[in-house]
Amino acid sequence: MVKCQTMADVRREIDRIDRALVDLLAERLTYIEQAGHIKGERSAVRDEARIEDVVQKVVNAAEPKGLPRTIAEPLWRLLIEKSIEHEFVVFDAKKSA
């Protein structure tokens, strides 16, 4: 972690982290797309047990790093919902291909 002296320093570091997050989220999405191709039934796209498992794992990993549950949990739930929406698009596209 960089000790920032100015707001320009803070913004530069936030921008750096945002670029890294974009890379990681894009990589994550490639696995969501693979899941959309692998799953045999549309009903398998939304897996409530898996959603809760992922959220719990994230919360468990976040809190020791100083990321409060009040931020981590809603952020991941939104990420999961958007991922599921995308996976439905991928799943439906394979049916029409």
Side-chain angles (χ1 to χ4, degrees), residues 28-42 44-46 50 83-84 86-88 90-92 94:
R28 187 183 194 280
L29 190 63
T30 66
Y31 294 106
I32 298 299
E33 290 171 346
Q34 288 180 48
H37 289 289
I38 291 169
K39 290 179 182 173
E41 298 294 325
R42 195 172 197 276
V45 171
R46 173 175 286 282
R50 175 64 179 152
S83 296
I84 290 169
H86 185 71
E87 190 177 337
F88 274 123
V90 171
F91 185 90
D92 292 343
K94 82 175 180 184

Side-chain angles (χ1 to χ4, degrees), residues 46-64:
R46 173 175 286 282
D47 181 343
E48 295 297 332
R50 175 64 179 152
I51 292 169
E52 294 310 313
D53 180 55
V54 169
V55 170
Q56 192 57 55
K57 287 175 183 173
V58 165
V59 168
N60 290 345
E63 290 179 334

